[in-house]
Coordinates of all heavy atoms in Angstrom, one line a residue:
T90 N 89.8 67.6 176.0 CA 89.1 66.5 175.5 C 89.4 66.2 174.0 O 90.1 67.1 173.3 CB 87.6 66.7 175.6 OG1 87.2 67.8 174.8 CG2 87.3 67.1 177.1
V91 N 89.0 65.1 173.5 CA 89.2 64.9 172.0 C 88.5 65.9 171.2 O 89.0 66.4 170.2 CB 88.7 63.4 171.7 CG1 88.7 63.2 170.2 CG2 89.5 62.4 172.4
D92 N 87.2 66.3 171.6 CA 86.6 67.4 170.8 C 87.3 68.6 170.8 O 87.5 69.3 169.8 CB 85.2 67.6 171.3 CG 84.2 66.4 170.9 OD1 84.4 65.9 169.8 OD2 83.3 66.0 171.7
E93 N 87.9 69.0 172.0 CA 88.7 70.2 172.1 C 90.0 70.1 171.3 O 90.4 71.1 170.7 CB 89.0 70.5 173.6 CG 87.7 70.9 174.4 CD 87.9 70.8 175.9 OE1 88.9 70.4 176.3 OE2 86.9 71.2 176.6
A94 N 90.5 68.9 171.2 CA 91.7 68.7 170.4 C 91.4 68.9 169.0 O 92.2 69.5 168.2 CB 92.3 67.3 170.7
R95 N 90.3 68.4 168.5 CA 89.9 68.5 167.1 C 89.6 70.0 166.8 O 90.0 70.5 165.7 CB 88.6 67.8 166.9 CG 88.7 66.2 166.8 CD 87.6 65.6 166.2 NE 87.6 64.1 166.2 CZ 87.0 63.4 167.1 NH1 86.1 63.9 168.0 NH2 87.2 62.0 167.1
T96 N 89.1 70.7 167.7 CA 88.9 72.2 167.6 C 90.2 72.9 167.4 O 90.4 73.7 166.4 CB 88.1 72.8 168.7 OG1 86.8 72.4 168.6 CG2 88.3 74.3 168.7
Q97 N 91.2 72.6 168.2 CA 92.5 73.3 168.0 C 93.1 72.9 166.7 O 93.6 73.8 166.0 CB 93.5 72.9 169.1 CG 94.8 73.7 169.0 CD 95.8 73.5 170.1 OE1 95.9 72.4 170.7 NE2 96.6 74.5 170.4
M98 N 93.0 71.7 166.2 CA 93.6 71.3 164.9 C 92.9 72.0 163.8 O 93.6 72.5 162.9 CB 93.5 69.8 164.7 CG 94.3 69.3 163.5 SD 96.1 69.5 163.7 CE 96.7 68.5 162.4
A99 N 91.6 72.1 163.9 CA 90.9 72.8 162.8 C 91.1 74.3 162.8 O 91.4 74.8 161.7 CB 89.4 72.5 163.0
I100 N 91.1 74.9 163.9 CA 91.3 76.4 164.0 C 92.7 76.7 163.6 O 93.0 77.7 162.8 CB 91.0 77.0 165.3 CG1 89.5 76.7 165.7 CG2 91.3 78.5 165.4 CD1 88.5 77.3 164.7
W101 N 93.7 76.0 164.1 CA 95.1 76.2 163.7 C 95.3 76.0 162.2 O 96.1 76.7 161.6 CB 96.0 75.3 164.5 CG 96.6 75.9 165.8 CD1 98.0 76.0 166.1 CD2 95.9 76.5 166.8 NE1 98.1 76.6 167.4 CE2 96.9 77.0 167.8 CE3 94.6 76.8 167.2 CZ2 96.6 77.6 169.0 CZ3 94.3 77.4 168.4 CH2 95.3 77.8 169.3
S102 N 94.7 75.0 161.7 CA 94.9 74.7 160.2 C 94.2 75.8 159.3 O 94.8 76.2 158.4 CB 94.3 73.4 159.9 OG 95.0 72.3 160.5
I103 N 93.0 76.2 159.7 CA 92.4 77.3 159.0 C 93.2 78.6 159.1 O 93.3 79.3 158.2 CB 90.9 77.4 159.5 CG1 90.1 76.2 159.0 CG2 90.3 78.8 159.0 CD1 88.7 76.2 159.6
S104 N 93.8 78.8 160.3 CA 94.6 80.0 160.5 C 96.0 80.0 159.9 O 96.8 80.9 160.2 CB 94.6 80.3 162.0 OG 93.3 80.5 162.5
A105 N 96.3 78.9 159.2 CA 97.7 78.7 158.7 C 98.8 78.9 159.8 O 99.8 79.5 159.5 CB 97.9 79.8 157.6
A106 N 98.5 78.3 160.9 CA 99.4 78.5 162.1 C 100.4 77.3 162.1 O 100.1 76.2 161.6 CB 98.6 78.5 163.3
P107 N 101.6 77.6 162.6 CA 102.5 76.5 162.8 C 102.0 75.3 163.7 O 101.3 75.6 164.7 CB 103.7 77.1 163.5 CG 103.6 78.6 163.1 CD 102.1 78.9 163.0
L108 N 102.2 74.1 163.2 CA 101.8 73.0 164.1 C 102.9 72.4 164.8 O 103.7 71.6 164.4 CB 101.1 71.9 163.1 CG 100.0 72.3 162.3 CD1 99.5 71.1 161.4 CD2 98.8 72.8 163.1
I109 N 103.1 73.0 166.0 CA 104.3 72.6 166.9 C 103.7 71.9 168.1 O 103.0 72.5 168.9 CB 105.1 73.9 167.3 CG1 105.6 74.6 166.1 CG2 106.3 73.5 168.2 CD1 106.2 75.9 166.4
M110 N 104.1 70.6 168.2 CA 103.5 69.8 169.3 C 104.2 70.1 170.6 O 105.4 70.2 170.6 CB 103.6 68.3 168.9 CG 102.8 67.9 167.8 SD 102.8 66.1 167.5 CE 104.5 65.8 167.0
G111 N 103.4 70.1 171.7 CA 103.9 70.3 173.0 C 103.4 69.1 173.9 O 102.5 69.3 174.7
N112 N 103.9 67.9 173.6 CA 103.4 66.8 174.3 C 104.6 65.8 174.5 O 105.6 66.0 174.0 CB 102.2 66.1 173.6 CG 102.6 65.7 172.1 OD1 103.6 65.2 171.9 ND2 101.7 66.0 171.2
D113 N 104.3 64.7 175.2 CA 105.2 63.6 175.4 C 104.8 62.5 174.4 O 103.8 61.9 174.5 CB 105.1 63.0 176.8 CG 106.2 62.0 177.1 OD1 106.7 61.3 176.1 OD2 106.5 61.7 178.2
L114 N 105.6 62.4 173.3 CA 105.3 61.5 172.2 C 105.1 60.0 172.7 O 104.4 59.3 172.0 CB 106.4 61.5 171.1 CG 106.4 62.8 170.3 CD1 107.6 62.8 169.4 CD2 105.2 63.0 169.5
R115 N 105.7 59.7 173.8 CA 105.6 58.3 174.3 C 104.1 57.9 174.8 O 103.8 56.7 174.9 CB 106.6 58.1 175.4 CG 108.0 58.3 174.9 CD 109.0 58.3 176.2 NE 108.6 59.4 177.1 CZ 109.2 59.6 178.3 NH1 110.2 58.8 178.7 NH2 108.8 60.6 179.0
I116 N 103.4 58.9 175.1 CA 102.1 58.6 175.8 C 100.9 59.4 175.2 O 99.9 59.7 175.8 CB 102.1 59.0 177.3 CG1 102.6 60.4 177.5 CG2 103.1 58.0 178.0 CD1 102.5 60.8 179.0
V117 N 101.0 59.7 173.9 CA 100.0 60.4 173.2 C 98.8 59.4 173.0 O 98.9 58.3 172.5 CB 100.4 60.9 171.8 CG1 99.2 61.5 171.0 CG2 101.5 62.0 172.0
P118 N 97.6 59.7 173.5 CA 96.4 58.9 173.3 C 96.1 58.6 171.9 O 96.3 59.5 171.0 CB 95.3 59.6 174.0 CG 96.0 60.6 175.0 CD 97.2 60.9 174.3
D119 N 95.6 57.5 171.6 CA 95.3 57.1 170.2 C 94.4 58.1 169.5 O 94.6 58.4 168.3 CB 94.7 55.7 170.1 CG 95.8 54.6 170.4 OD1 97.0 54.9 170.3 OD2 95.4 53.5 170.7
A120 N 93.3 58.5 170.2 CA 92.4 59.5 169.6 C 93.1 60.8 169.2 O 92.8 61.4 168.2 CB 91.2 59.7 170.5
H121 N 94.0 61.2 170.0 CA 94.8 62.4 169.8 C 95.7 62.2 168.7 O 96.0 63.1 167.8 CB 95.5 62.9 171.0 CG 94.6 63.5 172.0 ND1 94.8 64.8 172.5 CD2 93.5 63.1 172.7 CE1 93.8 65.1 173.4 NE2 93.1 64.1 173.5
K122 N 96.4 61.0 168.6 CA 97.3 60.7 167.5 C 96.6 60.7 166.2 O 97.2 61.2 165.2 CB 97.9 59.3 167.8 CG 99.1 58.9 166.9 CD 99.5 57.5 167.2 CE 100.1 57.4 168.6 NZ 100.6 56.0 168.9
A123 N 95.4 60.3 166.1 CA 94.6 60.2 164.9 C 94.4 61.7 164.4 O 94.4 61.9 163.2 CB 93.3 59.5 165.1
I124 N 94.2 62.6 165.3 CA 94.0 64.0 164.9 C 95.3 64.6 164.4 O 95.4 65.2 163.3 CB 93.5 64.8 166.1 CG1 92.2 64.3 166.6 CG2 93.5 66.3 165.8 CD1 91.8 64.9 168.0
L125 N 96.5 64.3 165.1 CA 97.8 64.9 164.6 C 98.1 64.3 163.3 O 98.9 64.9 162.5 CB 98.8 64.5 165.7 CG 98.7 65.3 167.0 CD1 99.5 64.7 168.1 CD2 98.9 66.8 166.8
L126 N 97.7 63.0 163.0 CA 98.2 62.3 161.8 C 97.1 62.4 160.7 O 97.3 61.7 159.7 CB 98.5 60.8 162.1 CG 99.7 60.6 163.1 CD1 99.8 59.1 163.4 CD2 101.0 61.1 162.4
N127 N 96.1 63.2 160.9 CA 95.0 63.3 159.9 C 95.6 64.1 158.7 O 95.8 65.3 158.7 CB 93.8 64.1 160.5 CG 92.6 64.1 159.5 OD1 92.8 64.4 158.4 ND2 91.5 63.7 160.1
K128 N 95.8 63.4 157.6 CA 96.5 63.9 156.4 C 95.6 65.1 155.8 O 96.2 66.0 155.2 CB 96.8 62.8 155.4 CG 97.9 61.9 155.8 CD 98.2 60.8 154.8 CE 99.3 59.9 155.3 NZ 99.6 58.9 154.2
E129 N 94.3 64.9 155.8 CA 93.5 65.9 155.2 C 93.6 67.2 156.0 O 93.5 68.4 155.4 CB 92.1 65.4 155.0 CG 92.0 64.3 154.1 CD 90.5 63.8 153.8 OE1 89.7 64.7 153.6 OE2 90.3 62.6 153.8
A130 N 93.6 67.1 157.3 CA 93.7 68.3 158.2 C 95.1 69.0 157.9 O 95.2 70.2 157.8 CB 93.5 67.9 159.7
V131 N 96.1 68.2 157.9 CA 97.5 68.7 157.7 C 97.6 69.4 156.3 O 98.2 70.4 156.2 CB 98.5 67.6 157.9 CG1 99.9 68.1 157.4 CG2 98.6 67.1 159.3
A132 N 96.9 68.8 155.4 CA 96.9 69.4 154.0 C 96.3 70.8 154.0 O 96.7 71.7 153.3 CB 96.2 68.5 153.0
V133 N 95.2 71.0 154.8 CA 94.6 72.3 154.9 C 95.7 73.3 155.5 O 95.9 74.4 155.0 CB 93.3 72.3 155.8 CG1 92.9 73.7 156.1 CG2 92.2 71.5 155.1
N134 N 96.3 72.8 156.6 CA 97.3 73.7 157.2 C 98.5 74.1 156.3 O 98.9 75.2 156.3 CB 97.9 73.0 158.5 CG 98.9 73.8 159.1 OD1 100.1 73.6 158.9 ND2 98.5 74.7 160.0
Q135 N 98.9 73.1 155.5 CA 100.0 73.2 154.6 C 99.7 73.7 153.2 O 100.5 73.5 152.3 CB 100.8 71.9 154.5 CG 101.4 71.5 155.9 CD 102.5 72.4 156.4 OE1 103.5 72.5 155.6 NE2 102.4 73.0 157.6
D136 N 98.4 74.1 152.9 CA 98.0 74.5 151.6 C 99.0 75.4 150.9 O 99.4 76.4 151.5 CB 96.6 75.2 151.7 CG 96.1 75.5 150.3 OD1 95.6 74.6 149.6 OD2 96.2 76.7 150.0
P137 N 99.4 75.1 149.7 CA 100.6 75.9 149.1 C 100.3 77.3 148.8 O 101.2 78.1 148.6 CB 100.8 75.1 147.8 CG 99.6 74.2 147.6 CD 99.0 73.9 148.9
M138 N 99.0 77.7 148.7 CA 98.7 79.1 148.5 C 99.0 79.9 149.7 O 99.3 81.1 149.5 CB 97.2 79.3 148.1 CG 96.8 80.7 147.7 SD 95.3 80.9 146.8 CE 94.1 80.4 148.1
G139 N 99.0 79.3 150.9 CA 99.5 80.0 152.1 C 98.6 81.2 152.5 O 99.0 82.1 153.1
K140 N 97.3 81.1 152.2 CA 96.4 82.2 152.5 C 95.7 81.9 153.8 O 95.0 80.9 153.9 CB 95.3 82.3 151.4 CG 94.4 83.6 151.5 CD 93.5 83.8 150.3 CE 92.7 85.1 150.4 NZ 91.9 85.4 149.2
M141 N 95.9 82.7 154.8 CA 95.3 82.5 156.2 C 93.9 82.7 156.2 O 93.3 83.7 155.6 CB 96.0 83.5 157.1 CG 95.5 83.4 158.5 SD 96.3 84.7 159.6 CE 95.2 84.8 160.9
G142 N 93.2 81.8 156.8 CA 91.7 82.0 157.1 C 91.5 82.6 158.4 O 92.4 82.9 159.2
Y143 N 90.2 82.9 158.6 CA 89.8 83.6 159.8 C 88.3 83.4 160.1 O 87.6 82.8 159.3 CB 90.1 85.1 159.7 CG 89.6 85.7 158.5 CD1 88.3 86.3 158.5 CD2 90.3 85.8 157.3 CE1 87.8 86.9 157.3 CE2 89.8 86.4 156.2 CZ 88.6 87.0 156.2 OH 88.1 87.6 155.1
R144 N 87.8 83.9 161.3 CA 86.5 83.7 161.7 C 85.6 84.6 160.8 O 85.8 85.8 160.6 CB 86.2 84.1 163.1 CG 84.9 83.8 163.7 CD 84.8 83.9 165.2 NE 85.0 85.3 165.6 CZ 85.1 85.6 166.9 NH1 85.1 84.7 167.9 NH2 85.3 86.9 167.3
R145 N 84.5 84.0 160.3 CA 83.6 84.8 159.4 C 82.3 85.2 160.1 O 81.7 86.2 159.8 CB 83.2 84.0 158.2 CG 84.4 83.4 157.4 CD 85.3 84.5 156.9 NE 86.5 84.0 156.2 CZ 86.5 83.9 154.9 NH1 85.6 84.4 154.2 NH2 87.6 83.4 154.3
S146 N 81.9 84.5 161.2 CA 80.7 84.9 161.9 C 80.8 84.2 163.3 O 81.5 83.2 163.5 CB 79.4 84.4 161.2 OG 79.3 82.9 161.1
A147 N 80.0 84.8 164.3 CA 80.1 84.3 165.6 C 78.9 84.5 166.4 O 78.2 85.6 166.2 CB 81.3 84.9 166.4
S148 N 78.5 83.6 167.2 CA 77.4 83.7 168.2 C 77.7 82.9 169.4 O 78.7 82.1 169.3 CB 76.1 83.3 167.6 OG 76.0 81.8 167.6
P149 N 77.1 83.0 170.5 CA 77.4 82.2 171.7 C 77.4 80.7 171.5 O 78.1 79.9 172.2 CB 76.4 82.7 172.7 CG 76.1 84.1 172.3 CD 76.1 84.0 170.8
T150 N 76.6 80.2 170.5 CA 76.5 78.8 170.3 C 77.1 78.3 168.9 O 77.0 77.2 168.6 CB 75.0 78.4 170.3 OG1 74.3 79.2 169.3 CG2 74.4 78.6 171.7
G151 N 77.8 79.2 168.2 CA 78.4 78.7 167.0 C 79.2 79.8 166.3 O 78.8 81.0 166.2
E152 N 80.3 79.3 165.7 CA 81.1 80.2 164.9 C 81.5 79.5 163.6 O 81.6 78.3 163.6 CB 82.4 80.5 165.7 CG 82.2 81.2 167.0 CD 83.5 81.6 167.7 OE1 84.7 81.3 167.1 OE2 83.5 82.1 168.9
V153 N 81.7 80.3 162.6 CA 82.1 79.8 161.3 C 83.5 80.4 161.0 O 83.6 81.6 160.9 CB 81.1 80.1 160.2 CG1 81.7 79.7 158.8 CG2 79.7 79.4 160.4
W154 N 84.5 79.5 160.7 CA 85.8 79.9 160.3 C 86.0 79.3 158.9 O 85.5 78.2 158.7 CB 86.8 79.3 161.2 CG 86.8 79.9 162.7 CD1 85.7 79.8 163.5 CD2 87.8 80.6 163.3 NE1 86.1 80.4 164.8 CE2 87.4 80.9 164.7 CE3 89.1 81.0 163.0 CZ2 88.2 81.6 165.6 CZ3 89.9 81.7 163.9 CH2 89.4 82.0 165.2
A155 N 86.8 80.1 158.1 CA 87.0 79.6 156.7 C 88.3 80.0 156.2 O 88.8 81.1 156.6 CB 85.8 80.0 155.8
R156 N 88.8 79.2 155.2 CA 90.1 79.5 154.6 C 90.0 79.1 153.1 O 89.5 78.1 152.8 CB 91.2 78.7 155.3 CG 92.6 78.9 154.6 CD 93.7 78.1 155.2 NE 94.9 78.3 154.6 CZ 96.1 77.7 155.0 NH1 96.1 76.8 156.0 NH2 97.2 78.0 154.3
E157 N 90.4 80.0 152.2 CA 90.5 79.7 150.8 C 91.7 78.9 150.5 O 92.8 79.2 151.0 CB 90.5 81.0 150.0 CG 90.5 80.8 148.5 CD 90.5 82.0 147.7 OE1 90.5 83.1 148.3 OE2 90.5 81.9 146.4
L158 N 91.5 77.8 149.7 CA 92.6 77.0 149.4 C 92.9 77.0 147.9 O 92.2 77.7 147.1 CB 92.3 75.5 149.8 CG 91.8 75.3 151.2 CD1 91.3 73.8 151.4 CD2 92.9 75.6 152.2
V159 N 93.9 76.2 147.4 CA 94.2 76.2 146.0 C 93.1 75.6 145.2 O 92.2 74.9 145.8 CB 95.5 75.4 145.8 CG1 96.7 76.1 146.3 CG2 95.4 73.9 146.3
N160 N 93.1 75.9 143.9 CA 92.1 75.4 143.0 C 90.7 75.8 143.3 O 89.7 75.1 143.0 CB 92.2 73.8 142.9 CG 93.6 73.4 142.5 OD1 94.2 73.9 141.7 ND2 94.0 72.3 143.1
G161 N 90.5 76.9 144.0 CA 89.2 77.5 144.3 C 88.4 76.7 145.3 O 87.2 77.0 145.5
T162 N 89.0 75.9 146.1 CA 88.3 75.1 147.2 C 88.5 75.9 148.5 O 89.2 76.9 148.6 CB 88.9 73.7 147.3 OG1 90.3 73.8 147.7 CG2 88.7 72.9 146.1
F163 N 87.7 75.5 149.5 CA 87.7 76.1 150.8 C 87.7 75.1 151.9 O 87.2 74.0 151.7 CB 86.4 77.0 151.0 CG 86.4 78.2 150.1 CD1 86.0 78.1 148.8 CD2 86.8 79.5 150.6 CE1 86.0 79.3 147.9 CE2 86.8 80.6 149.8 CZ 86.3 80.5 148.5
A164 N 88.3 75.4 153.0 CA 88.1 74.7 154.3 C 87.3 75.5 155.2 O 87.4 76.7 155.3 CB 89.5 74.3 154.9
A165 N 86.4 74.9 156.0 CA 85.6 75.5 156.9 C 85.5 74.8 158.2 O 85.5 73.5 158.2 CB 84.2 75.8 156.4
G166 N 85.5 75.5 159.4 CA 85.3 74.9 160.6 C 84.0 75.5 161.3 O 83.9 76.8 161.4
L167 N 83.1 74.7 161.7 CA 81.9 75.1 162.5 C 82.2 74.8 163.9 O 82.1 73.6 164.4 CB 80.7 74.3 161.9 CG 80.5 74.3 160.4 CD1 79.2 73.6 160.1 CD2 80.6 75.7 159.8
F168 N 82.5 75.8 164.7 CA 83.0 75.7 166.0 C 81.9 76.0 167.0 O 81.3 77.0 167.0 CB 84.3 76.6 166.3 CG 84.6 76.8 167.7 CD1 84.8 75.7 168.6 CD2 84.9 78.1 168.1 CE1 85.2 76.0 169.9 CE2 85.3 78.4 169.5 CZ 85.4 77.3 170.3
N169 N 81.8 75.1 168.0 CA 80.8 75.2 169.1 C 81.5 75.5 170.4 O 82.0 74.7 171.1 CB 79.9 74.0 169.2 CG 78.9 74.0 170.3 OD1 78.7 75.1 170.9 ND2 78.3 72.9 170.6
P170 N 81.4 76.9 170.8 CA 82.1 77.2 172.1 C 81.3 77.0 173.3 O 81.7 77.2 174.4 CB 82.4 78.7 171.9 CG 81.3 79.2 171.0 CD 80.9 78.1 170.1
S171 N 80.0 76.6 173.1 CA 79.1 76.5 174.2 C 79.2 75.2 175.0 O 80.0 74.3 174.6 CB 77.6 76.6 173.7 OG 77.2 75.5 173.0
A172 N 78.5 75.0 176.1 CA 78.5 73.9 177.0 C 77.6 72.8 176.6 O 77.6 71.7 177.2 CB 78.2 74.3 178.4
A173 N 76.9 72.9 175.5 CA 76.0 71.9 175.0 C 76.1 71.8 173.5 O 76.5 72.7 172.8 CB 74.5 72.2 175.4
A174 N 75.7 70.6 173.0 CA 75.7 70.4 171.5 C 74.8 71.5 170.9 O 73.9 71.9 171.4 CB 75.2 69.0 171.2
A175 N 75.2 71.8 169.6 CA 74.4 72.8 168.9 C 74.5 72.6 167.4 O 75.5 72.0 166.9 CB 75.0 74.3 169.2
N176 N 73.4 73.0 166.7 CA 73.4 73.0 165.3 C 74.0 74.3 164.8 O 73.6 75.4 165.2 CB 71.9 72.9 164.8 CG 71.3 71.5 165.0 OD1 72.1 70.5 165.0 ND2 70.1 71.4 165.3
I177 N 75.0 74.2 163.9 CA 75.7 75.3 163.4 C 75.6 75.4 161.8 O 75.8 74.3 161.2 CB 77.2 75.4 163.8 CG1 77.3 75.4 165.3 CG2 77.9 76.6 163.2 CD1 78.7 75.2 165.8
T178 N 75.2 76.5 161.2 CA 75.0 76.6 159.8 C 76.1 77.4 159.2 O 76.4 78.5 159.7 CB 73.6 77.2 159.5 OG1 72.6 76.3 160.1 CG2 73.4 77.3 158.0

Side-chain angles (χ1 to χ4, degrees):
T90 68
V91 173
D92 286 324
E93 291 165 354
R95 290 195 184 103
T96 287
Q97 186 177 28
M98 189 67 168
I100 299 299
W101 264 233
S102 295
I103 289 170
S104 301
L108 301 179
I109 302 173
M110 293 187 294
N112 57 41
D113 185 337
L114 291 174
R115 299 168 298 175
I116 55 173
V117 173
D119 288 343
H121 286 237
K122 188 182 299 182
I124 296 167
L125 292 167
L126 295 176
N127 186 310
K128 292 182 179 181
E129 294 185 43
V131 173
V133 171
N134 179 266
Q135 297 290 303
D136 184 74
M138 186 162 65
K140 190 171 184 177
M141 177 182 162
Y143 51 88
R144 188 170 68 185
R145 306 304 178 98
S146 64
S148 75
T150 57
E152 300 183 3
V153 174
W154 295 62
R156 176 182 182 181
E157 185 179 358
L158 308 174
V159 293
N160 301 322
T162 60
F163 291 80
L167 312 185
F168 166 48
N169 177 8
S171 72
N176 290 327
I177 303 175
T178 298

